Amino acid sequence: MDVNKIRRDFPALNDKETVYFDSACQSLRPQVVLDAMNEYYQHFPACSGRSMHHFAAKVTQKVEDARISLIKFLNAAKKEEIVFTRNTTEGINLVANTLFFKPGDVILITDKEHNSNLIPWQKLCRQKGTILKIVPTHPDGTFDLDAYTKLLDPRVRLVSFGHTSNLDGVTIPAAEIIKLAHQNGSLVMLDAAQSAPHRQLNVRNLDVDFFAFSGHKLMGPSGTGVLYAKYKLLEEMEPFMVGGDTVASSTYESADFLPPPEKFEAGLQDYAGIIGLGAAVEYLQKIGFNAIQKHELELNQAITVGIRAIPGLKFIGPADPALRGGITTFYIDGIDSHRIALMLDQMRGIMCRSGQHCVHSWFHSRGITGSVRASAYIYNTLEEAQLLVDHLIKIRKVL
Ligand SMILES: Cc1ncc(COP(=O)(O)O)c(C=O)c1O
């Protein structure tokens, strides 16, 4: 993989002072994604599916093309299993609000979920009397299969786990987890916000029931996302947001809902975003996930080895970078993580995320105030990894 060639695809990297290590929050976008969005606004800026004119026909076709790109990206069985959303959070909320739960049903999550895979379940428990149970992970952040198996009982209606953690980059053994859940009669949702951008996906082989991710973390436009779900489940589920575009017809008293995915895609959609998302997943597939993962590991190794001797520095997650994908999260005892991130930016334009990364529950339970997270992607170079290391060493000396 030629990183320098790839970098030329990203207009945001034109500025030589830009060192972007915050891709777990939002990735940068290649020109092809920007072009795909612009093409919509410049040449057929109408709405899909409603009007009969030729702009509308073109948008409808482009949106369906994007859905087909997403089926290929996920290896889904059919395009009706792809529901466009605004982000991972919306996908998870959609399931929490539309899947049938009865009082006493148990939902399992792990102890280091992003708020988006915690708060919707807490709300459901308050409203419907479901029970949320937490599967503890091993102290190094890796998945504890024994703890999970012990909590799987017939009351577990849904297992909803982060596929790859935004906190420490650890990926869970999804195939095994799903197999055990299905043997137990439970459904499985994967929060794939951090896995979809970095690994080859195959929802059919995984046999996963629900799979939610965001476009903006995988080179797509901001505020785009996908909920994949098995068609049979989508058919059974009530729509979440309702209104225009969700119904075939209505009277003053009732409405005939369209089949999935339309019944879940209420109102006029972000067509430019959806088209851009299609372009993004095609771009990623051309590069190939083997090359992406290999490159991220090299970067993570360079950063980990470079900073591990910094006095007082502690990694969050496993010591071995091979288990952390492109994510290196750490804190330095007694030093405010926001201060470190600000200094990195001010000294050399190095952008990292600081704080609790929307996993407050994990930090509160461990009495850790915050951390710095460097998250790498295909456009980062080893020189940038070295710059990060050198500046962290400098910062430690002055703080
Ligand atoms: C693991 C994980 N889940 C969910 C989310 C929420 O994603 P979004 O804000 O795009 O809905 C994130 C965002 O960082 C994440 O990392």
Side-chain angles (χ1 to χ4, degrees):
M1 192 180 81
D2 182 347
V3 184
N4 287 321
K5 184 163 171 282
I6 284 175
R7 284 174 72 84
R8 289 197 287 278
D9 293 340
F10 292 81
L13 293 173
N14 282 343
D15 177 356
K16 297 276 170 284
E17 292 303 300
T18 294
V19 179
Y20 191 73
F21 276 120
D22 197 14
S23 296
C25 180
Q26 281 213 57
S27 70
L28 304 178
R29 282 69 169 197
Q31 189 63 46
V32 281
V33 169
L34 308 183
D35 290 345
M37 294 177 75
N38 276 339
E39 192 195 6
Y40 165 78
Y41 283 118
Q42 284 174 356
H43 300 296
F44 42 90
C47 73
S48 155
R50 296 184 186 186
S51 310
M52 299 309 291
H53 53 69
H54 66 279
F55 272 11
K58 182 83 180 170
V59 192
T60 306
Q61 185 56 51
K62 286 281 187 179
V63 167
E64 287 319 293
D65 290 349
R67 233 185 268 278
I68 288 164
S69 301
L70 277 139
I71 320 180
K72 291 185 188 148
F73 181 63
L74 297 173
N75 193 28
K78 48 182 179 175
K79 65 184 170 57
E80 289 77 11
E81 294 178 324
I82 308 291
V83 179
F84 288 118
T85 62
R86 283 184 305 143
N87 45 43
T88 310
T89 309
E90 186 176 313
I92 297 172
N93 272 277
L94 196 155
V95 174
N97 281 277
T98 60
L99 189 64
F100 177 73
F101 289 97
K102 61 179 183 323
D105 280 348
V106 171
I107 296 138
L108 290 186
I109 61 169
T110 73
D111 61 359
K112 53 171 180 164
E113 298 300 332
H114 188 283
N115 282 333
S116 295
N117 192 31
L118 167 67
I119 318 299
W121 308 120
Q122 291 177 343
K123 183 168 174 246
L124 188 78
C125 291
R126 284 197 303 276
Q127 289 179 334
K128 295 243 174 101
T130 52
I131 299 161
L132 187 60
K133 290 198 179 170
I134 313 287
V135 181
T137 46
H138 288 304
D140 72 350
T142 52
F143 190 76
D144 186 340
L145 213 49
D146 287 340
Y148 166 60
T149 315
K150 278 191 197 121
L151 284 171
L152 264 183
D153 68 35
R155 290 177 309 159
V156 176
R157 167 90 169 119
L158 181 74
V159 170
S160 184
F161 291 162
H163 193 190
T164 298
S165 165
N166 65 311
L167 174 69
D168 57 19
V170 170
T171 298
I172 59 172
E176 214 167 342
I177 288 167
I178 293 167
K179 199 165 156 225
L180 288 166
H182 286 169
Q183 282 165 1
N184 187 57
S186 316
L187 295 169
V188 180
M189 157 119 95
L190 290 179
D191 165 355
Q194 300 295 343
S195 58
H198 304 281
R199 50 181 53 239
Q200 186 67 54
L201 301 168
N202 191 329
V203 289
R204 258 190 290 178
N205 276 4
L206 272 180
D207 198 23
V208 66
D209 302 292
F210 302 103
F211 195 81
F213 58 96
S214 305
H216 36 258
K217 297 181 198 296
L218 48 74
M219 318 240 162
S222 299
T224 59
V226 165
L227 173 71
Y228 157 85
K230 286 180 183 161
Y231 191 73
K232 178 174 62 70
L233 291 165
L234 286 176
E235 265 187 320
E236 286 163 15
M237 284 152 62
E238 284 286 313
F240 174 31
M241 289 190 31
V242 289
D245 284 344
T246 60
V247 294
S249 179
S250 65
T251 64
Y252 290 120
E253 290 79 31
S254 65
D256 292 333
F257 283 99
L258 287 162
E262 281 92 346
K263 72 173 178 179
F264 297 108
E265 293 176 350
L268 202 145
Q269 300 291 296
D270 177 3
Y271 303 119
I274 290 170
I275 295 166
L277 176 56
V281 297
E282 282 178 15
Y283 179 83
L284 276 173
Q285 279 174 304
K286 264 188 211 136
I287 292 171
F289 284 97
N290 286 341
I292 293 173
Q293 282 187 315
K294 184 168 169 282
H295 182 63
E296 288 170 356
L297 177 57
E298 275 173 27
L299 293 165
N300 202 339
Q301 257 156 350
I303 298 169
T304 302
V305 170
I307 65 174
R308 70 179 165 208
I310 291 179
L313 184 141
K314 295 196 177 82
F315 290 106
I316 293 180
D320 181 359
L323 299 177
R324 289 190 267 107
I327 289 183
T328 319
T329 309
F330 62 89
Y331 58 99
I332 304 178
D333 277 334
I335 303 180
D336 178 20
S337 61
H338 294 313
R339 202 160 165 214
I340 299 174
L342 268 176
M343 285 179 78
L344 285 170
D345 194 16
Q346 284 161 0
M347 287 163 79
R348 183 51 181 79
I350 301 171
M351 290 174 256
C352 288
R353 173 91 179 260
S354 51
Q356 303 190 340
H357 320 293
C358 295
V359 197
H360 303 97
S361 47
W362 186 91
F363 282 89
H364 291 321
S365 66
R366 282 145 180 92
I368 302 171
T369 51
S371 64
V372 179
R373 181 184 71 191
S375 50
Y377 214 173
I378 49 172
Y379 35 69
N380 291 116
T381 62
L382 280 169
E383 292 73 37
E384 289 181 328
Q386 193 55 48
L387 270 177
L388 173 65
V389 168
D390 294 345
H391 283 80
L392 284 170
I393 293 170
K394 274 189 209 159
I395 290 170
R396 183 66 183 108
K397 284 192 180 136
V398 296
L399 288 182

